[in-house]
Structure formats: C-alpha cells, structure tokens
Amino acid sequence: MKTALTALLLCGLVAGTASAEKFRDPNAPVVNRFPLMSSDRVADCLTVSGLPVGTSAYATFELTEECCDWYISSCGASHVDNYFYLMDFDGNYITDDDDSNCSFPCNFGPAAIGSSYVGLCLPAGVYTLEIYVYSYRDANCSTTSTPFDFDICYDFCGGVASTQDMPVNFELGNAFPNPFNPSTTIEFTMAETANASLKVYNVAGAEVATLVNGLVGAGAQSVVFDASNLTSGVYFYALEVAGTVQTRKMVLAK
C-alpha cells in the first residue's frame, strides 16, 4: 500500500494547470461524517460516497503524538474537482488546498495536503478535514450532475487512530424501487431508540424533503418518499443519528 500511495503523491511534484474561477460555499451542508481509521497503523485509503455538488463531508482523526510526516490526498480521483480544509478540534484553520498540487486533464486536479506541501508538523490532538466538491467530470471531460464515489488516501506517521468511536447504532438501507416513479420506500434499522433525521437532497445539495425528524424506536423501520412534485434526476437521502450520517443515492425517472 505504501508504494502505491507514494506513486499517487508524485502528482504533487507536477505544477497544476490554471482552472476556471470557482466559488466554495462556506455554509455548505455537511451530508456525511466519518473517521479516518487505520487500525493496523499503516497508510490507507477509503472511499467517499458520491457527495452532491456544493456539499461537504467531514472526516475526523486523532494524533496521539506530534506528526511531521503526513498527507491526505485525493490525487487518484482525477475527475472530481474538490477542496480540502483542515481544522483543529476548536475549528481553527490549519491548512487547505484547492486542487493545486496535481495536474490532470480538464484543467483541474484533486486536492492534497501534507507535510511535503506545507512543511507543517501536526501536534497531538483532534482534527477535522472538510472535503468539499465543486464538480464532477465524465470521461469526455464534460461537467456531469451525477456524483460518483472517489477515494482519498492518507498516512499520519505510520498510522492514525480514530477519535470517534462510531458504533454501529443504525444502518441506512436501499430505496426500493430504485430508480422509481413517483414514490419509493426507504428502509433503515435502529439499534436502539434515539433521535433520528432522514432528509432528501438534490444534486445541488438543497434539501427537498424531511422524512423523519424525531425519536425513532429500535428495530427495522421504513418510510415512503413521494416525489410527485419533483423533477427527474439524482437525489440523495441522508440518515443522521447522534451526529453520524449515512448517505445513499436514488434516481427519480419520470
């Protein structure tokens, strides 16, 4: 894994090409939260589920001692135009990158941060990385409104331990049918009774429906989503319980 990741980081040695002017919404909705975990304390990668354009995911990690040899990179995702913003436990800015460390077709490259770029040691503590998506491109370099999954890779001085022990206290299931017209049933399971929120977003990150908002009992649950008043396209449904979010995709085909 280490060799493969080193190869990914070589893109950081290539000067990035100029990109069109872009705007990041500092108040973008956070539709996914997860820990950066590496239980074997080796470099690792994880998949970020397709985020709607104009939305963010938050990835949290903890360093138990100072680390001066680290990186987080999405250089393998050459058709995702994204942005990294690293902050400490109190939300203070550490560093960021707007895809300037890689050079790829379509005049943009994925984001990458790390000690080799900014010469920065990270003290022991808790950190959060915001991953913001500007756009997606298809094989023809054309902007597409359909998000897709992409990988980010990371290494923190030989490993990282998660600060957020995220118990499997709920599970978001598939929508059925999917694609659907005009309604579909979304299933989810609660390990215990807790407050839950189930919302639907369009590809622009705008909330279009709230299906659940309140106390939900333990066990298997289901809710019907009626999209009669919405246009055809890709939508995302996100279940949040105790600050943890799971997101899945569904397609409305009228």
Side-chain angles (χ1 to χ4, degrees):
M1 177 66 76
K2 197 81 167 185
T3 301
L5 295 180
T6 302
L8 281 178
L9 285 180
L10 289 177
C11 65
L13 302 177
V14 182
T17 55
S19 60
E21 187 174 9
K22 300 172 295 187
F23 298 94
R24 167 182 167 267
D25 180 3
N27 299 311
V30 180
V31 298
N32 203 353
R33 299 175 187 268
F34 52 86
L36 295 184
M37 293 188 295
S38 182
S39 58
D40 295 330
R41 299 196 64 77
V42 295
D44 205 352
C45 297
L46 59 81
T47 298
V48 179
S49 297
L51 298 173
V53 172
T55 66
S56 297
Y58 275 13
T60 303
F61 61 93
E62 180 182 15
L63 299 178
T64 57
E65 58 185 20
E66 183 181 52
C67 177
C68 296
D69 181 15
W70 62 278
Y71 69 79
I72 310 173
S73 169
S74 64
C75 286
S78 58
H79 283 77
V80 182
D81 190 7
N82 57 20
Y83 170 79
F84 282 176
Y85 184 97
L86 183 65
M87 65 193 92
D88 65 15
F89 181 76
D90 295 319
N92 298 313
Y93 167 84
I94 301 295
T95 187
D96 65 338
D97 182 60
D98 189 359
D99 64 43
S100 60
N101 290 316
C102 303
S103 179
F104 283 98
C106 308
N107 294 325
F108 73 89
I113 56 175
S115 52
S116 61
Y117 302 126
V118 296
L120 177 68
C121 293
L122 294 179
V126 178
Y127 298 88
T128 297
L129 174 72
E130 178 186 0
I131 305 167
Y132 178 85
V133 173
Y134 287 113
S135 66
Y136 294 88
R137 303 293 179 97
D138 60 22
N140 297 317
C141 292
S142 299
T143 301
T144 173
S145 60
T146 304
F148 48 81
D149 295 352
F150 60 93
D151 290 339
I152 65 170
C153 299
Y154 57 94
D155 189 8
F156 300 94
C157 297
V160 60
S162 168
T163 69
Q164 289 180 295
D165 293 328
M166 300 176 73
V168 183
N169 55 2
F170 70 96
E171 183 68 31
L172 180 60
N174 294 318
F176 183 82
N178 187 17
F180 66 97
N181 179 28
S183 63
T184 186
T185 299
I186 298 172
E187 297 182 342
F188 62 98
T189 302
M190 302 284 291
E192 59 185 16
T193 300
N195 285 308
S197 170
L198 178 60
K199 297 183 178 182
V200 179
Y201 300 87
N202 61 23
V203 293
E207 181 184 327
V208 298
T210 297
L211 306 180
V212 174
N213 187 23
L215 196 65
V216 178
Q221 310 288 340
S222 65
V223 61
V224 175
F225 172 51
D226 187 340
S228 300
N229 61 333
L230 298 175
T231 58
S232 297
V234 176
Y235 292 86
F236 294 85
Y237 55 103
L239 177 64
E240 180 175 2
V241 180
T244 300
V245 181
Q246 291 183 11
T247 306
R248 289 183 179 269
K249 180 174 70 175
M250 57 186 172
V251 178
L252 172 60
K254 290 186 174 180

